[in-house]
Structures are given as structure tokens and as C-alpha cells.
Amino acid sequence: MTEYRKISAEMLDTELFSGFIRRQEVKKCWRKSGGRWVIKDVEFVDDWDAGDHRRVLGQLRAVLGSGGAVWGAFREGRLKGFASVDGRLIGSKRQYAVLAELHVSEDCRRMGMGRELFYRAAESARGLGAGKLYISTMSAVESQAFYISMGCVEAVEPDPWHVEKEPCDVQREYIL
């Protein structure tokens, strides 16, 4: 049984990640080539260590400090997935709330946890007054398949900060 609840600033310590496995083996990624999206052989392993946990905790604290929201999915009291929405709106008309994080532990993928966290994040974005959710997402084929299945499309107005920070990410949006 999975329990979904908001994560407070008081819950943000390294112990939170004790049962969370971020590992993702990537073999293929989407890349823009000649103005078109194509799948390329790009292999790497995304696997968090204690330093990554501290970095993400800092990012989650910043989200909460901005007035945003952090959602967690817990199984047997252990964090197995989380999503966060920054409280600051971006875009030329401040139409976007940013989905800052969405991750599901390797041992709990393909169980609907990511979908539920995405919907809760979207609801938080609506509560901020956003018309769209902005997602700068890893270009891995599996990650893109998830966001496409959720109804996300290529962002109409790519955010320059996100593009510069992660030039290989795909910039997506979801209409709320």
C-alpha cells in the first residue's frame, strides 16, 4: 500500500532517502538534430550517492521556501517517490509552475506511483495560479515515454535558464 502525503521542511534530512534507489540505466536518448527529434545511442547510469541526496535536499528546501510543494510516496514508512513544484511562476506571462523534481525509486517503477505524483504536482501548480506545468526532463527514452503518456508536449516557450542548465534535457509542458 502506498501512502501519498506532502513532505514538510522538518522531514528533509538524509535519512529520508534511506530506502530510495534513484538508479537508472540509460541506453538511448532523444536529441534534436536538424530541427527534428531523433533517438540516439547515449549510454550512462544515473545513480545517486550521499552527495546527490544532500543536493536534492537543498533543492527541496528551496522549493518549500519559494511557497511550492513537495509530495512523497511512502511504502512501509519509507520514501519511494517524490515530486516538487516550485512556488515561483515563470514564462512571459508567468504561465508556468516548474515541476522541479519527479523521481520514483527503482524498485517501485511501473506501479503508477509516478503518475499519481505527477497529478498531485499538477494540482499544486493549479493552486499557485499556473496555467501550465513546465518540465525540463531527462532525455532518456523511458523518461520521455512517461511524460508523453501523461499528455506533456514540447514547451511552447522554452525557459532559457533550464535550457542552459541542462542542454540535453527536453523542455516540456503540461496544460493544467
Side-chain angles (χ1 to χ4, degrees):
M1 172 95 170
T2 304
E3 177 190 357
Y4 297 91
R5 64 179 187 262
K6 282 192 171 179
I7 294 177
S8 66
E10 296 76 36
M11 296 170 68
L12 294 176
D13 64 37
T14 53
E15 183 60 28
L16 183 64
F17 291 112
S18 65
F20 187 83
I21 307 163
R22 170 59 187 96
R23 185 175 176 78
Q24 182 177 355
E25 292 184 35
V26 176
K27 304 258 187 231
K28 295 187 178 291
C29 290
W30 286 96
R31 294 289 189 264
K32 208 156 211 181
S33 176
R36 296 183 27 220
W37 286 103
V38 295
I39 296 174
K40 300 240 181 187
D41 292 328
V42 178
E43 295 189 32
F44 64 94
V45 176
D46 190 6
D47 195 6
W48 289 355
D49 60 17
D52 293 305
H53 294 163
R54 287 189 298 275
R55 176 185 51 80
V56 172
L57 286 169
Q59 291 169 340
L60 296 176
R61 285 185 189 101
V63 162
L64 291 175
S66 75
V70 179
W71 286 95
F74 296 85
R75 287 188 153 214
E76 297 178 9
R78 299 180 88 166
L79 181 73
K80 291 297 182 176
F82 63 97
S84 67
V85 177
D86 197 290
R88 296 167 295 216
L89 300 182
I90 65 168
S92 60
K93 298 175 185 164
R94 298 179 49 81
Q95 70 272 27
Y96 291 114
V98 176
L99 179 66
E101 304 281 344
L102 175 59
H103 302 283
V104 174
S105 185
E106 182 181 44
D107 57 327
C108 290
R109 293 185 189 140
R110 300 195 176 277
M111 300 174 144
M113 196 176 284
R115 183 172 296 275
E116 181 63 27
L117 287 166
F118 183 90
Y119 288 137
R120 288 175 187 252
E123 189 58 38
S124 293
R126 278 186 203 94
L128 293 167
K132 298 178 179 183
L133 196 56
Y134 188 92
I135 309 114
S136 179
T137 179
M138 183 192 297
S139 60
V141 168
E142 299 83 0
S143 299
Q144 291 307 304
F146 169 76
Y147 286 107
I148 290 167
S149 77
M150 297 305 297
C152 299
V153 297
E154 194 169 352
V156 172
E157 187 181 318
D159 178 59
W161 184 85
H162 285 95
V163 171
E164 184 177 325
K165 180 181 171 215
E166 294 288 348
C168 291
D169 276 8
V170 178
Q171 307 304 308
R172 295 201 169 275
E173 66 181 43
Y174 176 77
I175 298 171
L176 300 170

